[in-house]
């Protein structure tokens, strides 16, 4: 069974045992209980308005402050010899989905 969950204004399709990186959670968070937007398998689909009644997804936090990919931002002006490069690495939390019900 799979579910569509919303964490931090982003949606993810998850199943039991999946590991995903989400936006950084508050310090000390060990477990999450999320209400899915949609639950589905091969035969059945349940769509919530906006959440599915009676369904929940449980997850546990494996790591906090995992650094994401390095992003480079370049500001450039043509014919002026002006170029400014800066970088950024977003911090994430790594979670594992323990159950979808």
């Amino acid at each position: 069974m799979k579910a569509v969950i919303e964490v931090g204004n982003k949606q993810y399709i998850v199943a039991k045992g999946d590991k995903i990186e989400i936006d950084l959670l508050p310090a000390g968070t060990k477990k999450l209980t999320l209400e899915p937007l949609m639950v589905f398998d091969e035969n059945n689909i349940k769509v919530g308005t906006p959440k599915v009644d009676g369904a929940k997804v449980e997850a546990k936090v494996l790591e906090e402050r995992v650094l994401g990919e390095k992003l480079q931002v370049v500001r450039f002006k043509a014919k002026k010899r002006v170029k400014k490069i800066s970088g950024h690495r977003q911090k994430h939390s790594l979670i594992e989905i323990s159950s979808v019900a």
Side-chain angles (χ1 to χ4, degrees):
M1 183 170 283
K2 294 185 177 183
V4 176
I5 60 171
E6 183 178 22
V7 180
N9 291 329
K10 295 178 185 165
Q11 295 179 1
Y12 303 94
I13 298 175
V14 296
K16 182 179 179 183
D18 285 352
K19 295 178 183 177
I20 58 172
E21 286 184 1
I22 61 172
D23 290 339
L24 188 63
L25 296 171
T29 305
K30 299 293 180 192
K31 290 188 175 185
L32 293 174
T33 302
L34 305 165
E35 295 179 2
L37 303 174
M38 181 169 74
V39 177
F40 61 95
D41 59 6
E42 296 176 3
N43 301 325
N44 300 326
I45 298 175
K46 293 181 184 175
V47 179
T49 53
K51 311 279 185 188
V52 177
D53 292 331
K56 64 179 178 177
V57 175
E58 293 183 358
K60 61 181 177 180
V61 177
L62 299 178
E63 292 181 49
E64 292 181 3
R65 302 192 184 275
V66 176
L67 288 177
E69 292 183 22
K70 176 83 171 188
L71 298 177
Q72 281 193 334
V73 180
V74 178
R75 202 174 91 208
F76 175 77
K77 293 188 180 181
K79 301 178 187 175
K80 303 288 188 212
R81 295 187 183 185
V82 174
K83 181 170 90 170
K84 179 163 175 107
I85 299 175
S86 61
H88 177 72
R89 289 185 79 175
Q90 186 71 32
K91 293 182 177 127
H92 299 287
S93 294
L94 181 66
I95 65 169
E96 181 179 12
I97 306 300
S98 54
S99 70
V100 177

